[in-house]
Amino acid sequence: MRIPVIAGNWKMHKTNAEARALCSDIRDGARNATHCRIVLAPPYTALGAAAEVIRGTNLILAAQNVHWEPKGAFTGEISIPMLEDAGCCMVILGHSERRQCFGETDQTVNRRLRAVMKSSLDPIVCIGETLGQREAGNYQEVISQQLAGSLDGLTGRELLRIILAYEPVWAIGTGRTASPQVAQEVHLGIRGWLSEKFGAEAARQVRILYGGSIKPENIPDLMRQPDIDGGLVGGACLEAESFLRIIHYDSRSTGGK
Ligand code: PEP
């Protein structure tokens, strides 16, 4: 059964004091949320503060990126042992902002992923097409290519530790959500690709999140789609009130899949 995941990507927001306040509001409001796993991804500087507040709760701490080397002369980078030490259990890889603003490629995502697979961290691997690629009609090919490059060399067993996040670039931070039908079509295509590559059973078990302007108002319809297993939330995770409303989407009609 695929237990849903609601993950909040804080991006470059929140000081330590703000992080403590947000984490404690989410912790209190999500205490009874057993229908889904809740992941918080603060910036590196707030990981320690967040870890203190959520220790011993049902909230899972994640980082927004990580380097593949364990240590060394890589100014400005953060290693896997550092994230483990800070209390992280998960890490986001290949977010479109990393790809667009910082030159991340499928190959560098794959290097990070291979290093993460040797660690205690579980990855959330992001993929998604740009507006130009969607309008050109070849988005399924683009996504297949991203999957092939990012997941290169992975075994079916390792795949089960991965969460994928389909985030159409044109929907991120734009207020323009993919309709549930558009998102479902891509999620089904991703599962089909995984099935060919890793086998039907592994593909059935992998969780695929949707990301792109998720709000409390649109999460219930997205979650009703058979191949959408949760959300990666940006803007709406920065206030406890909206993130908690997303966490408490109407789970009665969806549950695990
Ligand atoms: C994201 O950053 O992963 C994201 C989906 O952002 P937003 O929800 O703001 O579109």
Side-chain angles (χ1 to χ4, degrees):
M1 170 127 110
R2 306 192 305 266
I3 309 239
V5 173
I6 303 291
N9 172 17
W10 297 13
K11 310 194 187 193
M12 198 171 72
H13 293 282
K14 306 292 178 188
T15 61
N16 279 323
E18 290 165 345
R20 276 192 200 92
L22 180 56
C23 284
S24 81
D25 288 346
I26 295 170
R27 178 196 61 198
D28 295 346
R31 201 160 268 154
N32 300 322
T34 51
H35 61 285
C36 67
R37 304 274 178 268
I38 303 160
V39 180
L40 307 181
Y44 296 132
T45 49
L47 286 172
E52 268 173 38
V53 177
I54 70 175
R55 187 165 295 132
T57 71
N58 56 341
L59 305 180
I60 300 165
L61 191 64
Q64 298 174 19
N65 194 19
V66 73
H67 197 265
W68 51 81
E69 292 292 342
K71 62 180 170 182
F74 300 100
T75 302
E77 294 295 324
I78 297 276
S79 73
I80 290 170
M82 290 169 185
L83 295 186
E84 290 172 326
D85 187 46
C88 288
C89 297
M90 300 188 79
V91 61
I92 299 171
L93 299 177
H95 190 280
S96 66
E97 285 153 16
R98 298 298 319 168
R99 293 175 186 263
Q100 292 205 312
C101 311
F102 302 102
E104 191 82 63
T105 63
D106 294 329
Q107 286 63 43
T108 55
V109 173
N110 184 250
R111 271 186 100 168
R112 294 178 210 282
L113 180 64
R114 284 175 182 236
V116 165
M117 294 319 292
K118 294 192 195 109
S119 77
S120 68
L121 302 177
D122 288 335
I124 299 178
V125 179
C126 304
I127 48 172
E129 81 283 4
T130 62
L131 184 58
Q133 290 163 336
R134 168 141 297 254
E135 285 176 347
N138 62 343
Y139 53 93
Q140 295 283 19
E141 272 162 58
V142 169
I143 290 161
S144 297
Q145 234 167 44
Q146 290 177 339
L147 287 167
S150 306
L151 306 186
D152 186 38
L154 221 72
T155 64
R157 204 186 169 84
E158 286 174 323
L159 182 72
L160 300 182
R161 275 180 55 203
I162 293 181
I163 293 177
L164 289 170
Y166 167 58
E167 299 207 302
V169 178
W170 46 270
I172 296 182
T174 58
R176 189 179 160 188
T177 327
S179 70
Q181 294 72 26
V182 163
Q184 166 59 24
E185 184 213 7
V186 177
H187 282 229
L188 185 63
I190 293 171
R191 219 177 282 288
W193 187 93
L194 293 173
S195 179
E196 272 181 30
K197 180 93 178 156
F198 297 97
E201 186 48 30
R204 199 185 59 76
Q205 289 188 46
V206 173
R207 280 173 293 192
I208 308 173
L209 314 185
Y210 167 78
S213 296
I214 290 183
K215 304 266 178 301
E217 295 72 29
N218 57 30
I219 186 78
D221 282 345
L222 287 161
M223 289 303 295
R224 265 181 216 113
Q225 303 304 310
D227 289 289
I228 298 182
D229 303 311
L232 181 52
V233 185
C237 80
L238 296 174
E239 299 294 334
E241 196 261 343
S242 53
F243 193 53
L244 285 167
R245 282 173 63 205
I246 291 170
I247 289 168
H248 293 293
Y249 68 89
D250 182 7
S251 58
R252 282 164 303 174
S253 54
T254 58
K257 291 165 188 166

